[in-house]
Amino acid sequence: MEDVIILGTGCAGLTAAIYTGRAQLNPLVLEGSQPGGQLTTTSEVENFPGFPEGIDGYAMMDNLRKQAARFGARFEHAKVDKILVDGATKQLHAGGAVYEAKTVIIATGARPRLLGIPGEKEMFGGKGVTTCATCDGAFYRDMEVVVVGGGDSACEEALFLTRFCSKVTLIHRRDTLRASQIMADRAVSHEKIEMAWNALPEEILADDRGFTRAIRVTDRESGDTREIACKGAFIAIGHIPNTDFSDGLLSRDTDGYIVPTAGSQVKTSIEGLFAAGDCVDHVYRQAITAAGMGCQAAIEAERWLAER
Ligand code: NAP
Protein backbone atom coordinates (compact mmCIF):
# COMPACT_ATOMS: atom_id res chain seq x y z
CA MET A 1 0.00 0.00 0.00
CA GLU A 2 1.30 3.44 -0.97
CA ASP A 3 1.40 6.32 1.52
CA VAL A 4 0.51 8.85 -1.20
CA ILE A 5 -0.72 8.54 -4.73
CA ILE A 6 -0.98 11.73 -6.78
CA LEU A 7 -3.21 11.84 -9.84
CA GLY A 8 -1.92 14.25 -12.45
CA THR A 9 1.33 15.85 -13.51
CA GLY A 10 0.33 19.48 -14.01
CA CYS A 11 1.50 22.26 -11.69
CA ALA A 12 -0.63 21.03 -8.78
CA GLY A 13 0.33 17.36 -9.07
CA LEU A 14 4.05 17.94 -9.53
CA THR A 15 4.24 20.47 -6.71
CA ALA A 16 2.46 17.94 -4.45
CA ALA A 17 5.03 15.38 -5.63
CA ILE A 18 7.95 17.68 -4.73
CA TYR A 19 6.55 18.32 -1.24
CA THR A 20 5.55 14.74 -0.43
CA GLY A 21 8.85 13.57 -1.91
CA ARG A 22 10.82 15.91 0.33
CA ALA A 23 8.72 14.67 3.26
CA GLN A 24 10.06 11.19 2.39
CA LEU A 25 6.65 9.78 1.58
CA ASN A 26 7.92 8.23 -1.67
CA PRO A 27 4.90 9.41 -3.72
CA LEU A 28 3.61 7.48 -6.69
CA VAL A 29 2.45 9.87 -9.41
CA LEU A 30 -0.03 8.60 -11.97
CA GLU A 31 0.01 10.55 -15.20
CA GLY A 32 -2.89 10.46 -17.59
CA SER A 33 -3.24 11.38 -21.22
CA GLN A 34 -1.56 14.80 -21.03
CA PRO A 35 1.72 14.52 -19.10
CA GLY A 36 2.72 17.93 -17.77
CA GLY A 37 -0.82 19.25 -18.02
CA GLN A 38 -2.09 22.34 -19.76
CA LEU A 39 1.12 24.36 -19.50
CA THR A 40 2.82 22.02 -21.95
CA THR A 41 0.58 23.52 -24.61
CA THR A 42 1.39 27.12 -23.61
CA SER A 43 4.07 29.04 -25.44
CA GLU A 44 5.53 31.38 -22.87
CA VAL A 45 4.71 31.55 -19.15
CA GLU A 46 5.31 35.17 -18.19
CA ASN A 47 3.66 35.36 -14.80
CA PHE A 48 5.16 32.53 -12.77
CA PRO A 49 7.30 34.20 -10.07
CA GLY A 50 11.02 33.69 -10.41
CA PHE A 51 11.34 33.83 -14.20
CA PRO A 52 11.93 37.50 -15.07
CA GLU A 53 12.29 36.72 -18.77
CA GLY A 54 9.40 34.21 -18.80
CA ILE A 55 9.83 30.50 -19.41
CA ASP A 56 8.60 28.05 -22.03
CA GLY A 57 5.64 26.08 -20.62
CA TYR A 58 7.02 22.71 -21.61
CA ALA A 59 10.44 23.50 -20.12
CA MET A 60 8.84 24.61 -16.86
CA MET A 61 6.89 21.38 -16.49
CA ASP A 62 9.98 19.35 -17.34
CA ASN A 63 11.84 21.18 -14.57
CA LEU A 64 9.07 20.47 -12.05
CA ARG A 65 9.08 16.81 -12.99
CA LYS A 66 12.87 16.53 -12.58
CA GLN A 67 12.62 18.31 -9.24
CA ALA A 68 9.97 15.84 -8.04
CA ALA A 69 11.99 12.85 -9.29
CA ARG A 70 15.04 14.17 -7.42
CA PHE A 71 13.09 13.77 -4.17
CA GLY A 72 12.00 10.22 -4.97
CA ALA A 73 8.69 10.67 -6.81
CA ARG A 74 7.91 7.68 -9.06
CA PHE A 75 5.87 8.06 -12.24
CA GLU A 76 3.53 5.63 -13.98
CA HIS A 77 1.08 6.03 -16.85
CA ALA A 78 -2.44 5.19 -15.71
CA LYS A 79 -5.84 6.77 -16.26
CA VAL A 80 -7.89 6.27 -13.11
CA ASP A 81 -11.56 5.65 -13.88
CA LYS A 82 -12.85 4.91 -10.38
CA ILE A 83 -11.88 5.42 -6.74
CA LEU A 84 -13.32 3.14 -4.05
CA VAL A 85 -12.91 3.87 -0.37
CA ASP A 86 -12.72 1.05 2.15
CA GLY A 87 -12.12 2.48 5.61
CA ALA A 88 -8.80 4.30 5.46
CA THR A 89 -7.78 2.57 2.22
CA LYS A 90 -8.34 4.19 -1.13
CA GLN A 91 -8.50 1.86 -4.08
CA LEU A 92 -7.76 3.38 -7.48
CA HIS A 93 -8.98 1.47 -10.52
CA ALA A 94 -7.22 2.25 -13.80
CA GLY A 95 -8.26 -0.07 -16.61
CA GLY A 96 -7.26 -3.50 -15.31
CA ALA A 97 -4.81 -2.17 -12.70
CA VAL A 98 -5.69 -1.48 -9.06
CA TYR A 99 -3.59 0.76 -6.82
CA GLU A 100 -4.03 1.15 -3.05
CA ALA A 101 -3.06 4.16 -0.99
CA LYS A 102 -3.58 5.69 2.42
CA THR A 103 -3.87 9.18 0.94
CA VAL A 104 -4.67 10.39 -2.54
CA ILE A 105 -4.16 13.84 -4.04
CA ILE A 106 -6.40 14.46 -7.04
CA ALA A 107 -4.78 16.97 -9.38
CA THR A 108 -6.33 15.94 -12.67
CA GLY A 109 -6.74 19.45 -14.07
CA ALA A 110 -9.14 20.40 -16.82
CA ARG A 111 -9.58 19.89 -20.57
CA PRO A 112 -10.56 22.39 -23.27
CA ARG A 113 -14.26 23.13 -23.70
CA LEU A 114 -15.65 22.81 -27.22
CA LEU A 115 -18.41 24.80 -28.92
CA GLY A 116 -20.58 21.83 -29.85
CA ILE A 117 -21.52 23.31 -33.23
CA PRO A 118 -21.82 21.45 -36.55
CA GLY A 119 -18.50 20.85 -38.27
CA GLU A 120 -16.41 21.14 -35.12
CA LYS A 121 -16.18 17.45 -34.31
CA GLU A 122 -15.86 16.43 -37.96
CA MET A 123 -12.85 18.68 -38.59
CA PHE A 124 -11.25 18.44 -35.14
CA GLY A 125 -7.58 17.43 -35.13
CA GLY A 126 -5.96 17.58 -38.52
CA LYS A 127 -8.71 19.17 -40.59
CA GLY A 128 -8.51 22.68 -39.25
CA VAL A 129 -10.23 22.69 -35.86
CA THR A 130 -7.98 22.63 -32.82
CA THR A 131 -7.66 23.86 -29.24
CA CYS A 132 -3.90 24.35 -29.20
CA ALA A 133 -2.11 27.13 -31.07
CA THR A 134 1.24 26.13 -29.65
CA CYS A 135 0.84 22.61 -31.00
CA ASP A 136 -0.71 23.41 -34.37
CA GLY A 137 -0.04 27.08 -35.14
CA ALA A 138 2.98 26.43 -37.38
CA PHE A 139 0.78 24.41 -39.77
CA TYR A 140 -1.08 27.60 -40.66
CA ARG A 141 1.84 29.67 -41.93
CA ASP A 142 0.66 32.55 -44.18
CA MET A 143 -2.98 31.48 -43.81
CA GLU A 144 -6.03 33.18 -42.32
CA VAL A 145 -7.31 31.67 -39.09
CA VAL A 146 -9.88 32.44 -36.40
CA VAL A 147 -9.69 32.12 -32.63
CA VAL A 148 -12.97 31.77 -30.73
CA GLY A 149 -13.17 33.12 -27.16
CA GLY A 150 -12.68 36.30 -25.19
CA GLY A 151 -10.52 35.26 -22.25
CA ASP A 152 -6.78 35.23 -21.64
CA SER A 153 -6.42 31.93 -23.48
CA ALA A 154 -8.07 33.27 -26.62
CA CYS A 155 -5.91 36.40 -26.60
CA GLU A 156 -2.79 34.38 -25.95
CA GLU A 157 -3.61 31.97 -28.76
CA ALA A 158 -4.40 34.83 -31.15
CA LEU A 159 -1.15 36.63 -30.33
CA PHE A 160 0.85 33.45 -30.72
CA LEU A 161 -0.74 32.76 -34.09
CA THR A 162 0.31 36.17 -35.43
CA ARG A 163 3.84 34.73 -35.64
CA PHE A 164 2.75 32.43 -38.45
CA CYS A 165 -0.58 33.45 -39.88
CA SER A 166 -1.36 36.25 -42.33
CA LYS A 167 -4.49 37.27 -40.41
CA VAL A 168 -6.15 36.21 -37.14
CA THR A 169 -9.80 37.01 -36.49
CA LEU A 170 -10.68 36.89 -32.81
CA ILE A 171 -14.34 35.94 -32.53
CA HIS A 172 -16.01 36.91 -29.27
CA ARG A 173 -19.67 36.60 -28.36
CA ARG A 174 -19.75 39.93 -26.49
CA ASP A 175 -18.35 43.42 -27.09
CA THR A 176 -15.78 43.40 -24.29
CA LEU A 177 -13.06 40.87 -23.65
CA ARG A 178 -12.95 38.89 -20.43
CA ALA A 179 -9.15 38.71 -20.66
CA SER A 180 -6.85 40.68 -18.35
CA GLN A 181 -6.26 44.25 -19.53
CA ILE A 182 -2.69 43.67 -20.63
CA MET A 183 -3.61 40.68 -22.80
CA ALA A 184 -6.73 42.37 -24.18
CA ASP A 185 -4.77 45.50 -25.11
CA ARG A 186 -2.08 43.48 -26.85
CA ALA A 187 -4.64 41.52 -28.86
CA VAL A 188 -6.90 44.40 -29.83
CA SER A 189 -4.00 46.63 -30.90
CA HIS A 190 -2.14 43.96 -32.89
CA GLU A 191 -2.03 44.78 -36.59
CA LYS A 192 -2.66 41.19 -37.65
CA ILE A 193 -5.63 40.65 -35.32
CA GLU A 194 -9.12 41.68 -36.37
CA MET A 195 -11.91 41.61 -33.81
CA ALA A 196 -15.31 40.06 -34.59
CA TRP A 197 -17.41 41.39 -31.72
CA ASN A 198 -20.85 40.06 -30.69
CA ALA A 199 -20.32 37.13 -33.02
CA LEU A 200 -21.88 33.80 -32.13
CA PRO A 201 -20.29 30.80 -33.89
CA GLU A 202 -22.95 28.68 -35.63
CA GLU A 203 -21.10 26.23 -37.88
CA ILE A 204 -17.63 25.39 -39.14
CA LEU A 205 -17.74 24.93 -42.87
CA ALA A 206 -15.72 22.46 -44.91
CA ASP A 207 -14.25 22.69 -48.39
CA ASP A 208 -14.81 19.87 -50.86
CA ARG A 209 -11.96 17.85 -49.29
CA GLY A 210 -13.48 18.07 -45.83
CA PHE A 211 -11.01 20.68 -44.52
CA THR A 212 -12.00 23.89 -42.76
CA ARG A 213 -12.73 26.78 -45.13
CA ALA A 214 -14.82 29.19 -43.00
CA ILE A 215 -16.83 29.69 -39.83
CA ARG A 216 -20.38 31.01 -39.93
CA VAL A 217 -21.29 33.46 -37.19
CA THR A 218 -24.41 35.36 -36.25
CA ASP A 219 -24.20 38.99 -35.19
CA ARG A 220 -26.01 39.06 -31.84
CA GLU A 221 -27.21 42.63 -32.33
CA SER A 222 -28.43 42.60 -35.92
CA GLY A 223 -29.16 38.87 -36.23
CA ASP A 224 -27.26 38.82 -39.55
CA THR A 225 -25.11 35.83 -40.37
CA ARG A 226 -21.83 35.90 -42.25
CA GLU A 227 -18.96 33.61 -43.08
CA ILE A 228 -15.42 34.35 -41.95
CA ALA A 229 -12.92 32.60 -44.19
CA CYS A 230 -10.31 30.57 -42.31
CA LYS A 231 -8.10 27.54 -42.80
CA GLY A 232 -7.86 27.02 -39.05
CA ALA A 233 -10.34 27.51 -36.20
CA PHE A 234 -8.74 27.64 -32.76
CA ILE A 235 -11.29 27.14 -29.98
CA ALA A 236 -10.33 28.80 -26.68
CA ILE A 237 -13.53 29.07 -24.65
CA GLY A 238 -12.45 27.74 -21.29
CA HIS A 239 -12.15 24.34 -19.72
CA ILE A 240 -14.02 21.41 -18.17
CA PRO A 241 -12.55 19.86 -15.01
CA ASN A 242 -11.39 16.25 -15.31
CA THR A 243 -13.41 14.85 -12.44
CA ASP A 244 -15.79 12.35 -14.06
CA PHE A 245 -14.10 9.43 -12.30
CA SER A 246 -15.13 10.89 -8.92
CA ASP A 247 -18.83 10.85 -9.78
CA GLY A 248 -20.84 9.59 -6.81
CA LEU A 249 -17.83 9.75 -4.49
CA LEU A 250 -17.09 13.44 -4.12
CA SER A 251 -19.39 16.40 -4.23
CA ARG A 252 -18.99 18.45 -7.42
CA ASP A 253 -20.60 21.69 -8.50
CA THR A 254 -22.78 22.00 -11.60
CA ASP A 255 -19.72 22.59 -13.80
CA GLY A 256 -18.02 19.47 -12.42
CA TYR A 257 -15.48 21.14 -10.12
CA ILE A 258 -14.78 19.21 -6.90
CA VAL A 259 -16.20 21.11 -3.94
CA PRO A 260 -13.77 21.19 -0.99
CA THR A 261 -14.99 20.95 2.59
CA ALA A 262 -15.80 24.21 4.36
CA GLY A 263 -12.73 25.97 5.72
CA SER A 264 -10.26 24.22 3.43
CA GLN A 265 -9.23 24.64 -0.19
CA VAL A 266 -7.92 21.11 -0.65
CA LYS A 267 -9.70 18.75 1.76
CA THR A 268 -12.59 16.74 0.37
CA SER A 269 -15.51 15.14 2.16
CA ILE A 270 -13.47 11.91 2.36
CA GLU A 271 -10.73 11.60 4.95
CA GLY A 272 -7.29 11.32 3.37
CA LEU A 273 -8.53 12.33 -0.07
CA PHE A 274 -7.37 15.75 -1.23
CA ALA A 275 -7.88 17.75 -4.42
CA ALA A 276 -5.75 20.55 -5.87
CA GLY A 277 -5.47 22.76 -8.92
CA ASP A 278 -7.85 23.22 -11.85
CA CYS A 279 -10.07 20.23 -10.98
CA VAL A 280 -11.22 22.11 -7.86
CA ASP A 281 -10.39 25.79 -8.44
CA HIS A 282 -12.84 27.53 -10.76
CA VAL A 283 -11.88 31.03 -9.66
CA TYR A 284 -8.14 31.65 -10.07
CA ARG A 285 -7.01 28.82 -12.40
CA GLN A 286 -3.41 30.00 -12.59
CA ALA A 287 -0.20 27.96 -12.68
CA ILE A 288 0.95 29.58 -9.45
CA THR A 289 -2.35 29.00 -7.62
CA ALA A 290 -2.42 25.37 -8.79
CA ALA A 291 1.13 24.93 -7.51
CA GLY A 292 0.10 26.54 -4.20
CA MET A 293 -2.83 24.16 -3.85
CA GLY A 294 -0.57 21.21 -4.65
CA CYS A 295 1.66 22.34 -1.81
CA GLN A 296 -1.31 22.65 0.57
CA ALA A 297 -2.62 19.22 -0.36
CA ALA A 298 0.81 17.67 0.19
CA ILE A 299 1.14 19.24 3.64
CA GLU A 300 -2.38 18.09 4.56
CA ALA A 301 -1.62 14.54 3.36
CA GLU A 302 1.59 14.51 5.36
CA ARG A 303 -0.25 15.69 8.51
CA TRP A 304 -3.05 13.18 7.97
CA LEU A 305 -0.53 10.33 7.78
CA ALA A 306 1.44 11.63 10.76
CA GLU A 307 -1.72 11.78 12.91
CA ARG A 308 -2.31 8.11 12.20
P1 NAP B 1 -12.25 31.97 -19.54
O1 NAP B 1 -11.57 33.08 -18.83
O2 NAP B 1 -13.31 31.20 -18.85
O3 NAP B 1 -12.81 32.57 -20.90
C1 NAP B 1 -13.58 31.80 -21.77
C2 NAP B 1 -14.07 32.69 -22.90
O4 NAP B 1 -14.79 31.89 -23.83
C3 NAP B 1 -14.99 33.79 -22.41
O5 NAP B 1 -14.68 34.99 -23.06
C4 NAP B 1 -16.37 33.27 -22.83
O6 NAP B 1 -17.25 34.30 -23.19
C5 NAP B 1 -16.06 32.46 -24.05
N1 NAP B 1 -17.01 31.36 -24.23
C6 NAP B 1 -17.37 30.39 -23.34
N2 NAP B 1 -18.25 29.54 -23.87
C7 NAP B 1 -18.48 29.99 -25.13
C8 NAP B 1 -19.31 29.54 -26.18
N3 NAP B 1 -20.07 28.43 -26.06
N4 NAP B 1 -19.31 30.23 -27.34
C9 NAP B 1 -18.54 31.34 -27.48
N5 NAP B 1 -17.73 31.81 -26.53
C10 NAP B 1 -17.71 31.15 -25.36
O7 NAP B 1 -11.19 30.85 -20.02
P2 NAP B 1 -9.65 30.99 -20.41
O8 NAP B 1 -9.42 32.12 -21.34
O9 NAP B 1 -9.25 29.62 -20.84
O10 NAP B 1 -8.93 31.33 -19.05
C11 NAP B 1 -9.08 30.47 -17.92
C12 NAP B 1 -8.22 30.97 -16.77
O11 NAP B 1 -6.85 30.83 -17.10
C13 NAP B 1 -8.46 32.44 -16.46
O12 NAP B 1 -8.39 32.62 -15.07
C14 NAP B 1 -7.31 33.12 -17.14
O13 NAP B 1 -6.96 34.34 -16.51
C15 NAP B 1 -6.23 32.08 -17.01
N6 NAP B 1 -5.22 32.22 -18.07
C16 NAP B 1 -4.18 33.07 -17.84
C17 NAP B 1 -3.23 33.25 -18.82
C18 NAP B 1 -2.10 34.18 -18.57
O14 NAP B 1 -2.14 34.87 -17.56
N7 NAP B 1 -1.09 34.24 -19.39
C19 NAP B 1 -3.33 32.60 -20.06
C20 NAP B 1 -4.42 31.75 -20.26
C21 NAP B 1 -5.36 31.58 -19.26
P3 NAP B 1 -17.83 35.34 -22.09
O15 NAP B 1 -16.70 36.26 -21.80
O16 NAP B 1 -18.97 35.97 -22.78
O17 NAP B 1 -18.23 34.50 -20.92
Side-chain angles (χ1 to χ4, degrees):
M1 166 125 49
E2 304 285 346
D3 278 332
V4 187
I5 292 183
I6 297 164
L7 307 188
T9 50
C11 279
L14 289 178
T15 303
I18 293 167
Y19 273 76
T20 50
R22 280 195 85 234
Q24 303 200 318
L25 294 173
N26 196 25
L28 174 63
V29 186
L30 300 182
E31 52 190 344
S33 50
Q34 193 180 15
Q38 293 173 66
L39 275 197
T40 56
T41 63
T42 299
S43 45
E44 188 88 348
V45 182
E46 286 186 330
N47 52 9
F48 201 94
F51 300 97
E53 306 302 327
I55 180 170
D56 172 77
Y58 187 88
M60 185 172 132
M61 299 318 294
D62 195 43
N63 284 345
L64 286 184
R65 189 190 170 100
K66 285 179 184 147
Q67 197 174 350
R70 185 180 145 216
F71 294 116
R74 295 159 296 138
F75 294 86
E76 277 187 32
H77 281 281
K79 191 168 181 301
V80 171
D81 41 54
K82 193 167 54 175
I83 301 179
L84 298 177
V85 178
D86 180 13
T89 304
K90 285 90 193 164
Q91 236 182 33
L92 280 61
H93 293 253
V98 179
Y99 300 85
E100 286 193 336
K102 296 176 193 162
T103 65
V104 173
I105 297 173
I106 299 171
T108 43
R111 61 186 181 278
R113 184 186 297 282
L114 292 174
L115 290 161
I117 58 174
E120 182 182 48
K121 208 193 292 173
E122 293 81 350
M123 281 172 274
F124 192 86
K127 289 189 171 173
V129 181
T130 168
T131 54
C132 179
T134 321
C135 323
D136 299 329
F139 297 128
Y140 297 89
R141 197 170 290 277
D142 300 326
M143 298 180 199
E144 296 191 358
V145 299
V146 299
V147 174
V148 180
D152 280 320
S153 298
C155 291
E156 197 173 68
E157 301 264 291
L159 287 161
F160 181 77
L161 288 165
T162 60
R163 297 185 196 180
F164 311 99
C165 305
S166 53
K167 180 181 167 190
V168 181
T169 304
L170 184 50
I171 298 174
H172 183 37
R173 63 183 176 183
R174 292 186 296 123
D175 61 0
T176 44
L177 291 170
R178 176 181 294 276
S180 54
Q181 202 59 49
I182 184 169
M183 295 294 281
D185 288 348
R186 280 185 198 166
V188 170
S189 63
H190 198 286
E191 58 181 7
K192 278 193 181 178
I193 297 178
E194 185 174 306
M195 297 303 305
W197 298 110
N198 294 311
L200 213 52
E202 302 284 1
E203 182 173 5
I204 298 173
L205 304 158
D207 62 17
D208 49 16
R209 295 177 310 135
F211 285 79
T212 301
R213 70 163 178 84
I215 182 167
R216 195 175 67 243
V217 297
T218 298
D219 185 309
R220 293 182 69 190
E221 286 181 339
S222 66
D224 295 344
T225 58
R226 65 178 170 124
E227 289 181 13
I228 302 173
C230 60
K231 296 282 185 202
F234 291 78
I235 316 300
I237 57 166
H239 293 85
I240 300 171
N242 296 319
T243 57
D244 294 351
F245 63 88
S246 68
D247 193 26
L249 179 73
L250 297 174
S251 61
R252 296 186 297 161
D253 69 13
T254 48
D255 292 324
Y257 289 92
I258 293 170
V259 179
T261 53
S264 169
Q265 280 192 303
V266 296
K267 286 183 187 172
T268 73
S269 47
I270 293 178
E271 289 274 309
L273 196 54
F274 306 93
D278 283 11
C279 64
V280 59
D281 169 25
H282 57 95
V283 178
Y284 303 106
R285 296 178 295 176
Q286 303 295 303
I288 184 67
T289 51
M293 291 178 81
C295 164
Q296 289 179 50
I299 292 172
E300 291 294 351
E302 189 187 342
R303 286 186 183 156
W304 195 86
L305 288 165
E307 281 164 12
R308 284 154 186 84

